Amino acid sequence: MNSNRFLVSINDKVEVMDDFNGARIWWHASKHAPSLIQTDGRRAEQERRYYTLTFRKCHRELIEEAYLRHVLEKGRAITVRNRQRRLFTNNPYYKAVWNPFQHPSTFETLAMDPVKKQEIIDDLIGFSNGKEYYSRISKAWKRGYLLHGPPGTGKSSMISAIANFLEYDIYDLELTTVKSNSELRKLFTKMTGKSIIVIEDIDCSLDLTGKRNRTKSKDEEYDSSDDNKRKYWLDDEEDKEKVTLSGLLNFIDGLWSACGEERIIIFTTNHVEKLDPALIRTGRMDKHIEMSYCDFESFRVLARNYLSIESHELYVIIKRLLEEVKITPADVAESLMCVGFSKVDAGVYLERLIKTLERSKEAVEAQRTRL
């Protein structure tokens, strides 16, 4: 569906040969005689096609137990790879449940330290190839990533790069529109495999410092008065009408997290210190990725993306300033953006970036002087 790839099939009376673990297999395309079917009061001919496999009798066990499973797995992988990525949302303000996902961000264009970037790529490859490993260690086939850092450091671009790299769909989960823990579980069971579940700005989505373990004083513990019972009953009823921290934890790695496989859960936040430690511990958010300010290597990626250059005499000045000034990749990209998307001397935009960095440096120094 919505694929730009060609559909290749075998014509009648055409033979295709395949080799698998020392066995040779021949595929033949055939079709049954047309049959009449009734559709909307009309009769129509239906043509049913099928494939015939031919192989040596000594290879029968290999074909039935391994080869056919191999073909099905490869077929499913090709189907997933060829179809268009999709972006789902549970936000009721969007008319469509899902939209085509066409964000162009890739790891090649992502402004990040190359060593750190390769570490993330290796981790993703290990996860996508880890079905047997996760089964062997008796864990659900999922992985959590926490992206944290100041605004403008590329958290959304990182999510898009991961989705494009793994060829996964994205579920953009709006926690503020989820009414209860039970509704959250229902949403989770509808999410397919080979997908990324994203909760952006997790620290702003809900009050996740709620009552996972309600504690009582000694007086309250032994107080059996009707008023006290009513207080805790009302608290329980209130929790049923909203998503709680406990419900979110069960969503991430409780029993419900095993309903499906090959999923990545990503939280983003600008203030990691505000999050409950239980929410971001290993096993829930397995890998913490700091999206930091722009360094020189990140700048070089941006310069290659925006100006199509690998080096310039002004790089020396920019490198020195980047070591002295904190600036986000988004602000650097804004300085390098060509006006009207026209191609002109790259030095013009590099000089504009230098002026931006110098102004930032002056502002920081002025603030220090006032303090």
Side-chain angles (χ1 to χ4, degrees):
M1 176 182 282
N2 298 324
S3 175
N4 294 323
R5 313 248 179 149
F6 293 103
L7 176 63
V8 181
S9 60
I10 304 175
N11 286 331
D12 296 338
K13 299 180 181 180
V14 173
E15 179 182 275
V16 175
M17 187 173 61
D18 191 15
D19 290 309
F20 180 78
N21 292 350
R24 177 153 293 182
I25 305 100
W26 292 267
W27 289 80
H28 305 269
S30 305
K31 59 183 177 182
H32 293 287
S35 58
L36 291 175
I37 60 171
Q38 196 83 8
T39 306
D40 296 331
R42 299 179 181 179
R43 286 175 172 257
E45 286 190 351
Q46 182 186 48
E47 186 180 77
R48 296 178 60 190
R49 302 178 62 86
Y50 64 94
Y51 292 99
T52 302
L53 273 68
T54 305
F55 50 86
R56 297 185 184 279
K57 187 176 181 180
C58 61
H59 295 141
R60 183 183 185 92
E61 185 177 348
L62 174 67
I63 299 301
E64 291 181 346
E65 294 186 3
Y67 179 68
L68 292 178
R69 187 181 298 111
H70 165 77
V71 171
L72 287 174
E73 290 176 353
K74 287 294 183 182
R76 292 192 188 102
I78 291 172
T79 300
V80 171
R81 186 169 62 249
N82 286 352
R83 69 171 172 77
Q84 192 174 48
R85 306 279 77 73
R86 294 179 292 178
L87 174 63
F88 295 84
T89 180
N90 65 311
N91 193 318
Y93 295 104
Y94 290 91
K95 293 182 180 179
V97 178
W98 67 269
N99 292 277
F101 179 71
Q102 299 173 326
H103 198 293
S105 179
T106 64
F107 278 106
E108 184 178 350
T109 61
L110 195 64
M112 177 181 277
D113 177 71
V115 175
K116 190 174 181 179
K117 190 187 301 186
Q118 189 59 50
E119 180 185 330
I120 297 169
I121 292 173
D122 292 342
D123 191 80
L124 291 170
I125 292 173
F127 168 78
S128 63
N129 295 331
K131 182 175 183 177
E132 293 182 1
Y133 172 75
Y134 278 88
S135 177
R136 178 162 55 85
I137 63 175
S138 302
K139 289 190 66 176
W141 189 11
K142 65 177 182 60
R143 192 154 177 80
Y145 291 85
L146 175 68
L147 308 184
H148 62 95
T153 50
K155 293 185 284 295
S156 296
S157 295
M158 170 64 78
I159 294 170
S160 301
I162 293 174
N164 287 327
F165 180 75
L166 293 176
E167 299 175 332
Y168 283 7
D169 291 330
I170 295 179
Y171 288 87
D172 181 21
L173 185 58
E174 287 274 359
L175 281 183
T176 52
T177 67
V178 182
K179 296 178 182 179
S180 63
N181 291 334
S182 59
E183 184 178 328
L184 182 64
R185 288 193 293 269
K186 289 178 183 178
L187 283 172
F188 189 76
T189 57
K190 293 178 181 178
M191 297 174 181
T192 61
K194 291 184 178 294
S195 62
I196 300 172
I197 302 166
V198 178
I199 303 178
E200 294 196 89
D201 297 320
I202 184 70
D203 55 298
C204 302
S205 297
L206 292 172
D207 179 13
L208 297 176
T209 59
K211 298 162 273 192
R212 265 187 309 135
N213 295 310
R214 186 184 289 111
T215 57
K216 305 177 184 179
S217 66
K218 289 184 178 180
D219 292 337
E220 289 177 326
E221 189 171 353
Y222 295 105
D223 184 359
S224 59
S225 66
D226 290 341
D227 288 343
N228 200 52
K229 288 180 180 178
R230 178 174 174 78
K231 173 181 179 297
Y232 287 107
W233 181 82
L234 289 173
D235 285 343
D236 291 339
E237 288 299 308
E238 182 184 351
D239 285 350
K240 291 178 183 178
E241 299 299 323
K242 64 180 181 180
V243 176
T244 62
L245 177 58
S246 177
L248 187 59
L249 297 181
N250 288 329
F251 170 84
I252 299 171
D253 74 337
L255 291 175
W256 288 92
S257 68
C259 297
E261 58 181 18
E262 201 169 353
R263 289 168 171 163
I264 288 178
I265 302 173
I266 297 180
F267 291 165
T268 72
T269 179
N270 298 332
H271 305 284
V272 68
E273 69 281 356
K274 292 183 179 181
L275 299 180
D276 191 304
L279 186 66
I280 59 176
R281 68 162 174 79
T282 302
R284 288 171 180 152
M285 292 295 104
D286 304 285
K287 193 169 183 63
H288 293 198
I289 302 173
E290 182 180 5
M291 307 298 292
S292 56
Y293 292 101
C294 189
D295 57 15
F296 183 67
E297 291 301 326
S298 301
F299 156 74
R300 291 185 63 183
V301 174
L302 292 171
R304 184 165 58 247
N305 295 343
Y306 286 84
L307 304 177
S308 301
I309 60 173
E310 292 292 340
S311 62
H312 194 278
E313 58 184 10
L314 294 177
Y315 274 22
V316 177
I317 300 174
I318 292 172
K319 182 177 182 181
R320 176 178 55 80
L321 287 170
L322 286 173
E323 292 172 352
E324 301 172 353
V325 177
K326 289 183 177 181
I327 186 171
T328 66
D331 289 332
V332 172
E334 182 63 27
S335 294
L336 299 180
M337 177 76 76
C338 298
V339 179
F341 307 103
S342 59
K343 291 185 177 180
V344 295
D345 181 14
V348 173
Y349 298 98
L350 294 178
E351 288 176 357
R352 186 167 69 179
L353 173 60
I354 289 173
K355 290 180 181 178
T356 300
L357 290 169
E358 288 176 340
R359 284 196 297 270
S360 298
K361 181 180 178 181
E362 290 171 0
V364 171
E365 290 176 347
Q367 185 177 8
R368 289 176 180 171
T369 302
R370 287 195 299 268
L371 295 175

